Amino acid sequence: MSQQQSLELDIDQFINDLSSAETEQELARQISLARQLSQQGFPSLVLEHDGIRHQIPVDYSDHWLTLADIIDKLN
């Protein structure tokens, strides 16, 4: 069984959705947001809380450090 069949993916619908005006608008919105955040690198994690954006360092070897920083920013 192909992946398309196992996912029950409608290729025509996928192509229509991918090239839709709504998708283009959302892509433009996401690019604009990324430029506003002025993040360096990918992936990056930004928390917006009470109208303030905080860059959250991601520690791939210890997720508790990342979680602790998020909790700190929320308090």
Side-chain angles (χ1 to χ4, degrees):
M1 178 180 282
S2 72
Q3 285 184 336
Q4 175 188 345
Q5 291 171 326
S6 68
L7 295 174
E8 298 180 16
L9 181 63
D10 181 338
I11 294 294
D12 292 330
Q13 184 65 50
F14 178 79
I15 291 169
N16 287 336
D17 291 345
L18 189 60
S19 60
S20 72
E22 292 85 5
T23 300
E24 290 293 326
Q25 289 172 349
E26 180 60 21
L27 177 60
R29 190 183 75 75
Q30 292 290 328
I31 290 170
S32 175
L33 176 60
R35 287 180 179 150
Q36 290 173 22
L37 296 175
S38 66
Q39 297 301 306
Q40 299 296 318
F42 177 84
S44 57
L45 180 60
V46 176
L47 171 69
E48 184 171 343
H49 180 62
D50 292 335
I52 301 170
R53 292 181 180 144
H54 307 274
Q55 183 172 355
I56 306 296
V58 178
D59 188 324
Y60 293 101
S61 62
D62 186 354
H63 70 278
W64 293 109
L65 295 174
T66 302
L67 181 59
D69 195 38
I70 291 169
I71 292 169
D72 181 57
K73 299 288 191 280
L74 293 173
N75 292 320

